[in-house]
Amino acid sequence: MTEKLDSYDLKILAELQANGGLSNQELADRVGLSPSPCSRRIHKLETAGVIRERVVRLDPRSIGLDLTVLIHIRMDRHTPERFAQFETAVRGYPEVQECYLITGQEADYQLKISVPNMDEYQRFLLTKITRIEGVIGVHSSFVLRKAIDTTALPLAYARAASG
């Protein structure tokens, strides 16, 4: 965004992060605006790309996804083409929730995946991940408990307008 976020923008973002399903009227009431200016601000935030999308978060266990796995992946070559090829492949796997190109580890990528159980994880690993050209190492960590599980960003660091 070319202009800085003001206090109303930050209030709108905080409320939407807490509950993206609020109606415009509910949101306007919570942030102290009338509905029309609130709607215009939301549209401006969406157009600027500050609000990327609005989604519904599901409880994985309630739909049978009982196993969350963090996978570190090592690649054979560190070239833009190899990385692009890998990223294109994993984008096509619905099990992959997050994919990061990382540094500071022996791995090149970290994936977060959700599957029903260990058998499905083994199938995913052997029929998908290890079949991607260039993958030469895989290290898996299994999540025992999610102590923090949020998508909310810390708005205290947001670029606010002075005033």
Side-chain angles (χ1 to χ4, degrees), residues 13-14 21 23 29 31 43 45 47 59 63 66 72 86 99 103 108 113 129 132 137 140 143 148 154:
L13 294 173
S23 71
D29 290 345
V31 301
H43 179 71
L45 292 166
T47 301
D59 175 51
I63 58 170
D66 294 329
H72 285 128
F86 177 82
C99 174
T103 186
D108 298 302
I113 69 153
I129 294 300
I132 299 172
S140 304
V143 174
I148 298 173

Side-chain angles (χ1 to χ4, degrees), residues 150-161:
T150 182
T151 61
L153 296 175
L155 294 176
Y157 296 99
R159 296 176 303 271

Side-chain angles (χ1 to χ4, degrees), residues 63-74:
I63 58 170
L65 298 172
D66 294 329
L67 186 61
T68 300
V69 186
L70 303 176
I71 308 170
H72 285 128
I73 296 173
R74 213 170 70 223

Side-chain angles (χ1 to χ4, degrees), residues 63-120:
I63 58 170
L65 298 172
D66 294 329
L67 186 61
T68 300
V69 186
L70 303 176
I71 308 170
H72 285 128
I73 296 173
R74 213 170 70 223
M75 303 298 292
D76 62 350
R77 293 195 312 265
H78 297 148
T79 63
E81 298 80 20
R82 182 64 89 205
F83 289 158
Q85 179 184 10
F86 177 82
E87 292 169 18
T88 298
V90 297
R91 270 189 206 101
Y93 302 151
E95 298 90 346
V96 177
Q97 295 179 276
E98 298 173 5
C99 174
Y100 299 106
L101 178 62
I102 61 172
T103 186
Q105 301 287 324
E106 289 194 23
D108 298 302
Y109 282 96
Q110 177 176 302
L111 303 181
K112 175 183 163 188
I113 69 153
S114 291
V115 290
N117 53 46
M118 192 62 78
D119 289 338
E120 287 301 315

